Amino acid sequence: MNAKKFWLLATLGVGQVSSSPVSFCPDDSDICFQWAVPEAGNANIYFQIDAPTSYQWIGLGIGKQMAGAAMFLMYEDGQGNVTVSNRNGKGHSTPLLGDQDSISLLDGSGVKDGRMIANVLYKNTGSLDLSGSSDWIMAQKQGTPLASVDPNESITVHDSHSAFKINLAQASVSQNVNPFSENNDGGNGVSNGDSTGVTETSSNPNSNLILAHGVILTVVFIALYPLGSLLMPWLGKWYIHGAWQMVGFLAMWAGFGIGYVVSSDLDIFFDQTHTRLGVFVIALLGMQPILGLLHHMQYLRQGRRGAFGHVHIWYGRALIIMGMVNGGLGLQLTGASDVYIIVYSVVAGLSALLYAGYATVKSLRSEKTEKEK
Ligand code: HEM
Ligand code: HEM
Ligand SMILES: *[C@@H]1O[C@H](CO)[C@@H](O)[C@H](O)[C@H]1NC(C)=O
Ligand SMILES: *[C@@H]1O[C@H](CO)[C@@H](O)[C@H](O)[C@H]1NC(C)=O
């Protein structure tokens, strides 16, 4: 490295050291966090959670989403102090108890003037980047105090959550001692934190993929499949029906692929009715084009609808209905508002009625005049 480059880097490096904690109150709320990383701290991180006692619990987590996040829960212990519990995020469910030895509660923690404060020392055994930007999440729940010293106290789901990036390089402090201690009146050279180095991010990194998954499969099951099924008795041309349904079939697998990627990422694949029923319906529909083709070949030989025809028709109808129902379950899983769920159900119901109505009228009429399918 030449001298010029060295000095440039050195100056930039010095420019980054602010010697004060980073502090941040997400969404301008009354819940605030601070971080401080000692310059020679053997991967120690000090952080503070400070929130009104109207909250039942506050969670801070390292990661982009619940799945895989190292989480720290704070709640009142019922004895004038707080309990901080290390948990491991496992998708969209109650985080599991983690290793309590990796954290310790420090002085200055406690319940005072209607606020709970936790000053915590965390030994960074993970891959948290102390010299750059890292992803964090938080969530909160309002309610009566849990008043528990049990780190495995059970909690119920949050009222809301958010996500942000913290540049821990901006949070460096000189000494490896509790920077938030009340006895630490600047003696440590620690000034009050500021929010340089904080960037708010989307609290759901998968939201676009989830939207694509939902839109594609809704179009397939509510529009493409029922319309393609209508086309059969309407036009009586097997190749138009077959080609149309194959477009839907390919789109269905694409939508399924996206759903698989997202649910694996969230660690919820095959964990609840929506993902299980989805796998079931889509795997069974894998047979449908083959049944359609087998029926067509049988029809050419025998000149009438045989077993394959009946199976193709009824198996197909049943699976399309199950797919529609599963879309509603998916909307519930993402926590969509009731309005969306109602609109979805009405449109799905209309689509099913339209198809059933047409299919019935047509089959009553064609009992006399069987024509080429
Ligand atoms: C009883 C415990 C918990 C349950 C049942 C639960 C459940 C859920 C569910 C169903 C979602 C998706 C719907 C939504 O966006 O609201 C979600 C998202 C989220 N939760 Fe939780 N949660 C729990 C605890 C926590 C804790 C302790 C934290 C933070 C430390 C947290 C942070 C988040 C974040 C950041 C998201 C959005 C990112 C993602 O999808 O993972 N959750 N949670
Ligand atoms: C996933 C793809 C498919 C789905 C969901 C599907 C669904 C259906 C449904 C619900 C019907 C009943 C229509 C009615 O009310 O009359 C039907 C009929 C039919 N399908 Fe398909 N189909 C698919 C693919 C195919 C393919 C690829 C072929 C041909 C190679 C085919 C050939 C037929 C034929 C010939 C009928 C008329 C049966 C009869 O009336 O005897 N289908 N299909
Ligand atoms: C809360 O507990 C911590 C750790 O034991 C202690 O240092 C702190 O002084 C306690 N706070 C109060 C108000 O008792
Ligand atoms: C923590 O509590 C849950 C139930 O709330 C229980 O299933 C789990 O076994 C407990 N974990 C430990 C380590 O005690």
Side-chain angles (χ1 to χ4, degrees):
M1 189 188 299
N2 65 39
K4 208 172 160 190
K5 213 168 173 185
F6 174 83
W7 282 113
L8 185 65
L9 287 176
T11 335
L12 284 175
V14 166
Q16 275 186 354
V17 176
S18 62
S19 200
S20 76
V22 167
S23 75
F24 181 48
C25 312
D27 308 315
D28 292 322
S29 69
D30 45 9
I31 304 167
C32 297
F33 302 97
Q34 292 200 74
W35 293 262
V37 179
E39 274 153 30
N42 310 318
N44 280 352
I45 301 168
Y46 294 91
F47 65 83
Q48 181 182 66
I49 308 177
D50 177 351
T53 49
S54 53
Y55 291 97
Q56 188 168 61
W57 60 261
I58 305 289
L60 175 67
I62 305 171
K64 282 186 178 172
Q65 59 194 26
M66 288 187 71
M71 296 175 173
F72 312 98
L73 282 185
M74 173 183 79
Y75 38 86
E76 283 189 59
D77 72 353
Q79 300 163 16
N81 214 329
V82 293
T83 301
V84 173
S85 161
N86 183 204
R87 312 266 179 128
N88 298 321
K90 289 276 178 271
H92 291 158
S93 53
T94 311
L96 304 178
L97 191 67
D99 169 20
Q100 303 310 316
D101 293 342
S102 63
I103 51 172
S104 36
L105 194 63
L106 307 175
D107 65 308
S109 304
V111 182
K112 207 169 75 183
D113 305 329
R115 295 188 76 88
M116 343 178 226
I117 295 173
N119 294 332
V120 180
L121 169 61
Y122 172 57
K123 302 225 175 285
N124 174 31
T125 49
S127 49
L128 185 58
D129 183 4
L130 299 185
S131 59
S133 203
S134 46
D135 288 292
W136 294 74
I137 53 174
M138 66 82 62
Q140 81 265 22
K141 164 94 182 122
Q142 288 191 299
T144 51
L146 290 176
S148 168
V149 293
D150 181 3
N152 198 24
E153 183 62 36
S154 69
I155 57 163
T156 50
V157 66
H158 32 71
D159 301 327
S160 69
H161 51 71
S162 44
F164 36 88
K165 282 181 186 294
I166 302 295
N167 188 342
L168 289 174
Q170 309 260 343
S172 75
V173 292
S174 49
Q175 287 171 48
N176 188 13
V177 293
N178 178 4
F180 312 119
S181 163
E182 281 163 342
N183 316 322
N184 199 348
D185 305 321
N188 190 22
V190 173
S191 51
N192 277 333
D194 60 55
S195 61
T196 333
V198 181
T199 332
E200 295 198 56
T201 53
S202 159
S203 75
N204 194 341
N206 291 304
S207 60
N208 288 336
L209 287 178
I210 294 174
L211 184 66
H213 163 82
V215 168
I216 291 174
L217 287 168
T218 300
V219 168
V220 167
F221 280 93
I222 290 193
L224 289 182
Y225 279 168
L227 271 176
S229 303
L230 260 183
L231 282 179
M232 190 60 228
W234 185 23
L235 300 178
K237 302 271 194 289
W238 71 273
Y239 49 88
I240 296 185
H241 163 80
W244 180 286
Q245 298 297 55
M246 287 317 286
V247 171
F249 188 75
L250 294 179
M252 173 185 82
W253 282 102
F256 175 76
I258 298 172
Y260 176 76
V261 168
V262 175
S263 59
S264 310
D265 190 35
L266 294 175
D267 209 16
I268 59 169
F269 182 67
F270 222 67
D271 276 359
Q272 62 292 97
T273 317
H274 175 70
T275 52
R276 288 192 188 138
L277 187 60
V279 169
F280 180 75
V281 167
I282 282 162
L284 291 182
L285 271 173
M287 293 276 296
Q288 186 67 350
I290 301 165
L291 288 170
L293 203 61
L294 286 174
H295 160 68
H296 179 64
M297 282 153 47
Q298 193 178 46
Y299 183 87
L300 289 183
R301 263 183 279 118
Q302 302 178 347
R304 63 188 157 79
R305 185 190 289 164
F308 287 127
H310 290 289
V311 174
H312 179 75
I313 292 174
W314 288 104
Y315 185 80
R317 289 177 181 169
L319 289 173
I320 294 171
I321 301 284
M322 284 199 242
M324 289 179 173
V325 171
N326 203 40
L329 296 178
L331 277 172
Q332 275 184 346
L333 185 64
T334 61
S337 73
D338 289 350
V339 181
Y340 286 111
I341 297 182
I342 292 167
V343 168
Y344 176 88
S345 310
V346 168
V347 174
L350 281 179
S351 164
L353 271 181
L354 189 73
Y355 166 61
Y358 187 83
T360 320
V361 170
K362 189 75 188 186
S363 79
L364 288 178
R365 278 205 210 135
S366 64
E367 257 165 31
K368 290 172 211 149
T369 51
E370 271 282 283
K371 54 179 185 184
E372 159 66 343
K373 296 265 167 128

PDB file of all heavy atoms in Angstrom, residues 218-248:
ATOM      1  N   THR A 218     -53.465 -16.824  -6.689  1.00  0.00           N
ATOM      2  CA  THR A 218     -54.855 -16.371  -6.712  1.00  0.00           C
ATOM      3  C   THR A 218     -55.362 -16.335  -8.151  1.00  0.00           C
ATOM      4  O   THR A 218     -56.450 -16.835  -8.448  1.00  0.00           O
ATOM      5  CB  THR A 218     -54.977 -14.958  -6.089  1.00  0.00           C
ATOM      6  OG1 THR A 218     -54.511 -15.030  -4.740  1.00  0.00           O
ATOM      7  CG2 THR A 218     -56.413 -14.471  -6.096  1.00  0.00           C
ATOM      8  N   VAL A 219     -54.547 -15.758  -9.061  1.00  0.00           N
ATOM      9  CA  VAL A 219     -54.953 -15.697 -10.469  1.00  0.00           C
ATOM     10  C   VAL A 219     -55.167 -17.110 -11.015  1.00  0.00           C
ATOM     11  O   VAL A 219     -56.157 -17.388 -11.678  1.00  0.00           O
ATOM     12  CB  VAL A 219     -53.897 -14.921 -11.307  1.00  0.00           C
ATOM     13  CG1 VAL A 219     -54.147 -15.090 -12.793  1.00  0.00           C
ATOM     14  CG2 VAL A 219     -53.908 -13.448 -10.918  1.00  0.00           C
ATOM     15  N   VAL A 220     -54.253 -18.032 -10.685  1.00  0.00           N
ATOM     16  CA  VAL A 220     -54.358 -19.402 -11.199  1.00  0.00           C
ATOM     17  C   VAL A 220     -55.641 -20.077 -10.706  1.00  0.00           C
ATOM     18  O   VAL A 220     -56.420 -20.600 -11.501  1.00  0.00           O
ATOM     19  CB  VAL A 220     -53.120 -20.238 -10.795  1.00  0.00           C
ATOM     20  CG1 VAL A 220     -53.364 -21.719 -11.055  1.00  0.00           C
ATOM     21  CG2 VAL A 220     -51.885 -19.756 -11.553  1.00  0.00           C
ATOM     22  N   PHE A 221     -55.880 -20.037  -9.384  1.00  0.00           N
ATOM     23  CA  PHE A 221     -56.989 -20.824  -8.835  1.00  0.00           C
ATOM     24  C   PHE A 221     -58.351 -20.139  -8.935  1.00  0.00           C
ATOM     25  O   PHE A 221     -59.377 -20.799  -8.970  1.00  0.00           O
ATOM     26  CB  PHE A 221     -56.700 -21.230  -7.383  1.00  0.00           C
ATOM     27  CG  PHE A 221     -55.791 -22.421  -7.300  1.00  0.00           C
ATOM     28  CD1 PHE A 221     -54.420 -22.264  -7.180  1.00  0.00           C
ATOM     29  CD2 PHE A 221     -56.307 -23.710  -7.373  1.00  0.00           C
ATOM     30  CE1 PHE A 221     -53.571 -23.367  -7.136  1.00  0.00           C
ATOM     31  CE2 PHE A 221     -55.469 -24.823  -7.326  1.00  0.00           C
ATOM     32  CZ  PHE A 221     -54.101 -24.652  -7.206  1.00  0.00           C
ATOM     33  N   ILE A 222     -58.352 -18.793  -8.938  1.00  0.00           N
ATOM     34  CA  ILE A 222     -59.643 -18.110  -9.002  1.00  0.00           C
ATOM     35  C   ILE A 222     -60.029 -17.775 -10.434  1.00  0.00           C
ATOM     36  O   ILE A 222     -61.203 -17.719 -10.768  1.00  0.00           O
ATOM     37  CB  ILE A 222     -59.638 -16.827  -8.128  1.00  0.00           C
ATOM     38  CG1 ILE A 222     -59.598 -17.229  -6.667  1.00  0.00           C
ATOM     39  CG2 ILE A 222     -60.836 -15.960  -8.397  1.00  0.00           C
ATOM     40  CD1 ILE A 222     -59.903 -16.119  -5.722  1.00  0.00           C
ATOM     41  N   ALA A 223     -59.041 -17.558 -11.319  1.00  0.00           N
ATOM     42  CA  ALA A 223     -59.381 -17.170 -12.692  1.00  0.00           C
ATOM     43  C   ALA A 223     -58.983 -18.221 -13.725  1.00  0.00           C
ATOM     44  O   ALA A 223     -59.838 -18.772 -14.407  1.00  0.00           O
ATOM     45  CB  ALA A 223     -58.739 -15.823 -13.016  1.00  0.00           C
ATOM     46  N   LEU A 224     -57.692 -18.515 -13.856  1.00  0.00           N
ATOM     47  CA  LEU A 224     -57.237 -19.371 -14.962  1.00  0.00           C
ATOM     48  C   LEU A 224     -57.860 -20.761 -14.957  1.00  0.00           C
ATOM     49  O   LEU A 224     -58.405 -21.205 -15.967  1.00  0.00           O
ATOM     50  CB  LEU A 224     -55.705 -19.478 -14.949  1.00  0.00           C
ATOM     51  CG  LEU A 224     -54.936 -18.218 -15.348  1.00  0.00           C
ATOM     52  CD1 LEU A 224     -53.433 -18.490 -15.341  1.00  0.00           C
ATOM     53  CD2 LEU A 224     -55.374 -17.743 -16.729  1.00  0.00           C
ATOM     54  N   TYR A 225     -57.784 -21.476 -13.838  1.00  0.00           N
ATOM     55  CA  TYR A 225     -58.322 -22.843 -13.804  1.00  0.00           C
ATOM     56  C   TYR A 225     -59.841 -22.893 -14.028  1.00  0.00           C
ATOM     57  O   TYR A 225     -60.313 -23.661 -14.862  1.00  0.00           O
ATOM     58  CB  TYR A 225     -57.939 -23.553 -12.502  1.00  0.00           C
ATOM     59  CG  TYR A 225     -56.535 -24.135 -12.483  1.00  0.00           C
ATOM     60  CD1 TYR A 225     -55.969 -24.575 -11.288  1.00  0.00           C
ATOM     61  CD2 TYR A 225     -55.775 -24.273 -13.640  1.00  0.00           C
ATOM     62  CE1 TYR A 225     -54.682 -25.122 -11.244  1.00  0.00           C
ATOM     63  CE2 TYR A 225     -54.495 -24.807 -13.606  1.00  0.00           C
ATOM     64  CZ  TYR A 225     -53.943 -25.236 -12.412  1.00  0.00           C
ATOM     65  OH  TYR A 225     -52.686 -25.781 -12.376  1.00  0.00           O
ATOM     66  N   PRO A 226     -60.639 -22.086 -13.285  1.00  0.00           N
ATOM     67  CA  PRO A 226     -62.093 -22.147 -13.518  1.00  0.00           C
ATOM     68  C   PRO A 226     -62.451 -21.750 -14.946  1.00  0.00           C
ATOM     69  O   PRO A 226     -63.293 -22.390 -15.580  1.00  0.00           O
ATOM     70  CB  PRO A 226     -62.661 -21.146 -12.508  1.00  0.00           C
ATOM     71  CG  PRO A 226     -61.631 -21.052 -11.438  1.00  0.00           C
ATOM     72  CD  PRO A 226     -60.317 -21.217 -12.129  1.00  0.00           C
ATOM     73  N   LEU A 227     -61.786 -20.708 -15.489  1.00  0.00           N
ATOM     74  CA  LEU A 227     -62.081 -20.296 -16.869  1.00  0.00           C
ATOM     75  C   LEU A 227     -61.704 -21.396 -17.851  1.00  0.00           C
ATOM     76  O   LEU A 227     -62.456 -21.708 -18.778  1.00  0.00           O
ATOM     77  CB  LEU A 227     -61.310 -19.020 -17.218  1.00  0.00           C
ATOM     78  CG  LEU A 227     -62.010 -17.707 -16.908  1.00  0.00           C
ATOM     79  CD1 LEU A 227     -61.080 -16.530 -17.207  1.00  0.00           C
ATOM     80  CD2 LEU A 227     -63.286 -17.586 -17.741  1.00  0.00           C
ATOM     81  N   GLY A 228     -60.535 -21.993 -17.639  1.00  0.00           N
ATOM     82  CA  GLY A 228     -60.083 -23.069 -18.516  1.00  0.00           C
ATOM     83  C   GLY A 228     -61.027 -24.262 -18.455  1.00  0.00           C
ATOM     84  O   GLY A 228     -61.232 -24.968 -19.448  1.00  0.00           O
ATOM     85  N   SER A 229     -61.610 -24.491 -17.274  1.00  0.00           N
ATOM     86  CA  SER A 229     -62.557 -25.598 -17.130  1.00  0.00           C
ATOM     87  C   SER A 229     -63.860 -25.268 -17.868  1.00  0.00           C
ATOM     88  O   SER A 229     -64.458 -26.127 -18.506  1.00  0.00           O
ATOM     89  CB  SER A 229     -62.845 -25.862 -15.649  1.00  0.00           C
ATOM     90  OG  SER A 229     -61.639 -26.120 -14.966  1.00  0.00           O
ATOM     91  N   LEU A 230     -64.275 -23.988 -17.779  1.00  0.00           N
ATOM     92  CA  LEU A 230     -65.471 -23.529 -18.502  1.00  0.00           C
ATOM     93  C   LEU A 230     -65.299 -23.693 -20.011  1.00  0.00           C
ATOM     94  O   LEU A 230     -66.240 -24.058 -20.715  1.00  0.00           O
ATOM     95  CB  LEU A 230     -65.677 -22.027 -18.233  1.00  0.00           C
ATOM     96  CG  LEU A 230     -66.693 -21.593 -17.202  1.00  0.00           C
ATOM     97  CD1 LEU A 230     -66.763 -20.075 -17.158  1.00  0.00           C
ATOM     98  CD2 LEU A 230     -68.054 -22.154 -17.566  1.00  0.00           C
ATOM     99  N   LEU A 231     -64.091 -23.402 -20.481  1.00  0.00           N
ATOM    100  CA  LEU A 231     -63.815 -23.469 -21.914  1.00  0.00           C
ATOM    101  C   LEU A 231     -64.119 -24.846 -22.484  1.00  0.00           C
ATOM    102  O   LEU A 231     -64.501 -24.970 -23.642  1.00  0.00           O
ATOM    103  CB  LEU A 231     -62.338 -23.151 -22.179  1.00  0.00           C
ATOM    104  CG  LEU A 231     -61.927 -21.681 -22.145  1.00  0.00           C
ATOM    105  CD1 LEU A 231     -60.430 -21.554 -22.394  1.00  0.00           C
ATOM    106  CD2 LEU A 231     -62.697 -20.895 -23.196  1.00  0.00           C
ATOM    107  N   MET A 232     -63.940 -25.900 -21.639  1.00  0.00           N
ATOM    108  CA  MET A 232     -64.110 -27.260 -22.149  1.00  0.00           C
ATOM    109  C   MET A 232     -65.546 -27.530 -22.602  1.00  0.00           C
ATOM    110  O   MET A 232     -65.777 -27.794 -23.778  1.00  0.00           O
ATOM    111  CB  MET A 232     -63.623 -28.252 -21.089  1.00  0.00           C
ATOM    112  CG  MET A 232     -63.518 -29.681 -21.577  1.00  0.00           C
ATOM    113  SD  MET A 232     -62.372 -29.845 -22.962  1.00  0.00           S
ATOM    114  CE  MET A 232     -63.346 -30.822 -24.077  1.00  0.00           C
ATOM    115  N   PRO A 233     -66.544 -27.423 -21.697  1.00  0.00           N
ATOM    116  CA  PRO A 233     -67.911 -27.658 -22.158  1.00  0.00           C
ATOM    117  C   PRO A 233     -68.399 -26.566 -23.119  1.00  0.00           C
ATOM    118  O   PRO A 233     -69.258 -26.810 -23.963  1.00  0.00           O
ATOM    119  CB  PRO A 233     -68.740 -27.645 -20.861  1.00  0.00           C
ATOM    120  CG  PRO A 233     -67.903 -26.969 -19.842  1.00  0.00           C
ATOM    121  CD  PRO A 233     -66.477 -27.187 -20.249  1.00  0.00           C
ATOM    122  N   TRP A 234     -67.823 -25.368 -22.983  1.00  0.00           N
ATOM    123  CA  TRP A 234     -68.273 -24.243 -23.797  1.00  0.00           C
ATOM    124  C   TRP A 234     -67.873 -24.436 -25.256  1.00  0.00           C
ATOM    125  O   TRP A 234     -68.705 -24.397 -26.166  1.00  0.00           O
ATOM    126  CB  TRP A 234     -67.680 -22.954 -23.217  1.00  0.00           C
ATOM    127  CG  TRP A 234     -68.133 -21.699 -23.875  1.00  0.00           C
ATOM    128  CD1 TRP A 234     -69.283 -21.512 -24.590  1.00  0.00           C
ATOM    129  CD2 TRP A 234     -67.447 -20.452 -23.883  1.00  0.00           C
ATOM    130  NE1 TRP A 234     -69.365 -20.220 -25.036  1.00  0.00           N
ATOM    131  CE2 TRP A 234     -68.248 -19.540 -24.612  1.00  0.00           C
ATOM    132  CE3 TRP A 234     -66.249 -19.990 -23.328  1.00  0.00           C
ATOM    133  CZ2 TRP A 234     -67.874 -18.211 -24.806  1.00  0.00           C
ATOM    134  CZ3 TRP A 234     -65.880 -18.681 -23.513  1.00  0.00           C
ATOM    135  CH2 TRP A 234     -66.692 -17.794 -24.250  1.00  0.00           C
ATOM    136  N   LEU A 235     -66.542 -24.638 -25.507  1.00  0.00           N
ATOM    137  CA  LEU A 235     -66.066 -24.747 -26.882  1.00  0.00           C
ATOM    138  C   LEU A 235     -65.986 -26.193 -27.357  1.00  0.00           C
ATOM    139  O   LEU A 235     -65.995 -26.466 -28.547  1.00  0.00           O
ATOM    140  CB  LEU A 235     -64.684 -24.100 -27.008  1.00  0.00           C
ATOM    141  CG  LEU A 235     -64.604 -22.611 -26.656  1.00  0.00           C
ATOM    142  CD1 LEU A 235     -63.171 -22.112 -26.774  1.00  0.00           C
ATOM    143  CD2 LEU A 235     -65.537 -21.800 -27.564  1.00  0.00           C
ATOM    144  N   GLY A 236     -65.853 -27.112 -26.373  1.00  0.00           N
ATOM    145  CA  GLY A 236     -65.747 -28.516 -26.741  1.00  0.00           C
ATOM    146  C   GLY A 236     -64.459 -28.867 -27.471  1.00  0.00           C
ATOM    147  O   GLY A 236     -64.397 -29.863 -28.188  1.00  0.00           O
ATOM    148  N   LYS A 237     -63.419 -28.021 -27.327  1.00  0.00           N
ATOM    149  CA  LYS A 237     -62.138 -28.304 -27.995  1.00  0.00           C
ATOM    150  C   LYS A 237     -61.104 -28.680 -26.940  1.00  0.00           C
ATOM    151  O   LYS A 237     -60.642 -27.823 -26.192  1.00  0.00           O
ATOM    152  CB  LYS A 237     -61.657 -27.061 -28.754  1.00  0.00           C
ATOM    153  CG  LYS A 237     -62.631 -26.546 -29.802  1.00  0.00           C
ATOM    154  CD  LYS A 237     -62.374 -27.218 -31.144  1.00  0.00           C
ATOM    155  CE  LYS A 237     -63.083 -26.506 -32.284  1.00  0.00           C
ATOM    156  NZ  LYS A 237     -64.548 -26.694 -32.261  1.00  0.00           N
ATOM    157  N   TRP A 238     -60.735 -29.954 -26.903  1.00  0.00           N
ATOM    158  CA  TRP A 238     -59.825 -30.417 -25.854  1.00  0.00           C
ATOM    159  C   TRP A 238     -58.490 -29.699 -25.874  1.00  0.00           C
ATOM    160  O   TRP A 238     -57.905 -29.413 -24.848  1.00  0.00           O
ATOM    161  CB  TRP A 238     -59.607 -31.935 -25.950  1.00  0.00           C
ATOM    162  CG  TRP A 238     -58.787 -32.333 -27.150  1.00  0.00           C
ATOM    163  CD1 TRP A 238     -59.235 -32.585 -28.391  1.00  0.00           C
ATOM    164  CD2 TRP A 238     -57.361 -32.467 -27.190  1.00  0.00           C
ATOM    165  NE1 TRP A 238     -58.207 -32.875 -29.227  1.00  0.00           N
ATOM    166  CE2 TRP A 238     -57.031 -32.814 -28.516  1.00  0.00           C
ATOM    167  CE3 TRP A 238     -56.342 -32.329 -26.252  1.00  0.00           C
ATOM    168  CZ2 TRP A 238     -55.719 -33.026 -28.924  1.00  0.00           C
ATOM    169  CZ3 TRP A 238     -55.029 -32.540 -26.657  1.00  0.00           C
ATOM    170  CH2 TRP A 238     -54.725 -32.883 -27.981  1.00  0.00           C
ATOM    171  N   TYR A 239     -57.985 -29.344 -27.125  1.00  0.00           N
ATOM    172  CA  TYR A 239     -56.652 -28.728 -27.182  1.00  0.00           C
ATOM    173  C   TYR A 239     -56.658 -27.297 -26.669  1.00  0.00           C
ATOM    174  O   TYR A 239     -55.679 -26.823 -26.119  1.00  0.00           O
ATOM    175  CB  TYR A 239     -56.060 -28.837 -28.599  1.00  0.00           C
ATOM    176  CG  TYR A 239     -56.998 -28.392 -29.695  1.00  0.00           C
ATOM    177  CD1 TYR A 239     -57.057 -27.069 -30.089  1.00  0.00           C
ATOM    178  CD2 TYR A 239     -57.851 -29.328 -30.315  1.00  0.00           C
ATOM    179  CE1 TYR A 239     -57.936 -26.665 -31.078  1.00  0.00           C
ATOM    180  CE2 TYR A 239     -58.729 -28.921 -31.312  1.00  0.00           C
ATOM    181  CZ  TYR A 239     -58.771 -27.588 -31.687  1.00  0.00           C
ATOM    182  OH  TYR A 239     -59.647 -27.175 -32.653  1.00  0.00           O
ATOM    183  N   ILE A 240     -57.785 -26.594 -26.845  1.00  0.00           N
ATOM    184  CA  ILE A 240     -57.838 -25.222 -26.292  1.00  0.00           C
ATOM    185  C   ILE A 240     -57.852 -25.300 -24.768  1.00  0.00           C
ATOM    186  O   ILE A 240     -57.074 -24.640 -24.080  1.00  0.00           O
ATOM    187  CB  ILE A 240     -59.088 -24.461 -26.793  1.00  0.00           C
ATOM    188  CG1 ILE A 240     -58.996 -24.284 -28.312  1.00  0.00           C
ATOM    189  CG2 ILE A 240     -59.211 -23.101 -26.093  1.00  0.00           C
ATOM    190  CD1 ILE A 240     -60.102 -23.458 -28.908  1.00  0.00           C
ATOM    191  N   HIS A 241     -58.711 -26.188 -24.250  1.00  0.00           N
ATOM    192  CA  HIS A 241     -58.759 -26.394 -22.796  1.00  0.00           C
ATOM    193  C   HIS A 241     -57.387 -26.829 -22.273  1.00  0.00           C
ATOM    194  O   HIS A 241     -56.866 -26.260 -21.315  1.00  0.00           O
ATOM    195  CB  HIS A 241     -59.822 -27.450 -22.461  1.00  0.00           C
ATOM    196  CG  HIS A 241     -59.694 -28.040 -21.093  1.00  0.00           C
ATOM    197  ND1 HIS A 241     -60.154 -27.403 -19.965  1.00  0.00           N
ATOM    198  CD2 HIS A 241     -59.144 -29.210 -20.674  1.00  0.00           C
ATOM    199  CE1 HIS A 241     -59.899 -28.163 -18.901  1.00  0.00           C
ATOM    200  NE2 HIS A 241     -59.284 -29.269 -19.308  1.00  0.00           N
ATOM    201  N   GLY A 242     -56.791 -27.831 -22.930  1.00  0.00           N
ATOM    202  CA  GLY A 242     -55.509 -28.387 -22.472  1.00  0.00           C
ATOM    203  C   GLY A 242     -54.424 -27.324 -22.462  1.00  0.00           C
ATOM    204  O   GLY A 242     -53.682 -27.179 -21.486  1.00  0.00           O
ATOM    205  N   ALA A 243     -54.328 -26.524 -23.557  1.00  0.00           N
ATOM    206  CA  ALA A 243     -53.275 -25.515 -23.646  1.00  0.00           C
ATOM    207  C   ALA A 243     -53.482 -24.438 -22.573  1.00  0.00           C
ATOM    208  O   ALA A 243     -52.548 -24.035 -21.878  1.00  0.00           O
ATOM    209  CB  ALA A 243     -53.281 -24.881 -25.038  1.00  0.00           C
ATOM    210  N   TRP A 244     -54.724 -24.006 -22.427  1.00  0.00           N
ATOM    211  CA  TRP A 244     -55.047 -22.976 -21.416  1.00  0.00           C
ATOM    212  C   TRP A 244     -54.664 -23.456 -20.008  1.00  0.00           C
ATOM    213  O   TRP A 244     -54.000 -22.749 -19.249  1.00  0.00           O
ATOM    214  CB  TRP A 244     -56.548 -22.677 -21.483  1.00  0.00           C
ATOM    215  CG  TRP A 244     -57.018 -21.638 -20.510  1.00  0.00           C
ATOM    216  CD1 TRP A 244     -57.166 -21.805 -19.157  1.00  0.00           C
ATOM    217  CD2 TRP A 244     -57.412 -20.301 -20.789  1.00  0.00           C
ATOM    218  NE1 TRP A 244     -57.623 -20.658 -18.586  1.00  0.00           N
ATOM    219  CE2 TRP A 244     -57.792 -19.703 -19.565  1.00  0.00           C
ATOM    220  CE3 TRP A 244     -57.501 -19.536 -21.960  1.00  0.00           C
ATOM    221  CZ2 TRP A 244     -58.233 -18.397 -19.478  1.00  0.00           C
ATOM    222  CZ3 TRP A 244     -57.955 -18.224 -21.855  1.00  0.00           C
ATOM    223  CH2 TRP A 244     -58.301 -17.672 -20.636  1.00  0.00           C
ATOM    224  N   GLN A 245     -55.087 -24.685 -19.681  1.00  0.00           N
ATOM    225  CA  GLN A 245     -54.801 -25.193 -18.337  1.00  0.00           C
ATOM    226  C   GLN A 245     -53.308 -25.402 -18.122  1.00  0.00           C
ATOM    227  O   GLN A 245     -52.831 -25.264 -16.994  1.00  0.00           O
ATOM    228  CB  GLN A 245     -55.548 -26.508 -18.077  1.00  0.00           C
ATOM    229  CG  GLN A 245     -57.074 -26.414 -18.117  1.00  0.00           C
ATOM    230  CD  GLN A 245     -57.680 -25.519 -17.059  1.00  0.00           C
ATOM    231  OE1 GLN A 245     -57.321 -24.356 -16.949  1.00  0.00           O
ATOM    232  NE2 GLN A 245     -58.608 -26.037 -16.280  1.00  0.00           N
ATOM    233  N   MET A 246     -52.570 -25.715 -19.201  1.00  0.00           N
ATOM    234  CA  MET A 246     -51.126 -25.894 -19.020  1.00  0.00           C
ATOM    235  C   MET A 246     -50.438 -24.567 -18.689  1.00  0.00           C
ATOM    236  O   MET A 246     -49.458 -24.552 -17.945  1.00  0.00           O
ATOM    237  CB  MET A 246     -50.483 -26.523 -20.270  1.00  0.00           C
ATOM    238  CG  MET A 246     -50.802 -28.004 -20.436  1.00  0.00           C
ATOM    239  SD  MET A 246     -50.697 -28.976 -18.920  1.00  0.00           S
ATOM    240  CE  MET A 246     -48.929 -29.079 -18.699  1.00  0.00           C
ATOM    241  N   VAL A 247     -50.976 -23.450 -19.210  1.00  0.00           N
ATOM    242  CA  VAL A 247     -50.430 -22.140 -18.840  1.00  0.00           C
ATOM    243  C   VAL A 247     -50.623 -21.941 -17.329  1.00  0.00           C
ATOM    244  O   VAL A 247     -49.698 -21.582 -16.596  1.00  0.00           O
ATOM    245  CB  VAL A 247     -51.110 -20.993 -19.633  1.00  0.00           C
ATOM    246  CG1 VAL A 247     -50.690 -19.631 -19.083  1.00  0.00           C
ATOM    247  CG2 VAL A 247     -50.771 -21.108 -21.110  1.00  0.00           C
ATOM    248  N   GLY A 248     -51.858 -22.227 -16.858  1.00  0.00           N
ATOM    249  CA  GLY A 248     -52.134 -22.120 -15.428  1.00  0.00           C
ATOM    250  C   GLY A 248     -51.257 -23.065 -14.621  1.00  0.00           C
ATOM    251  O   GLY A 248     -50.736 -22.703 -13.553  1.00  0.00           O
TER     252      GLY A 248
END
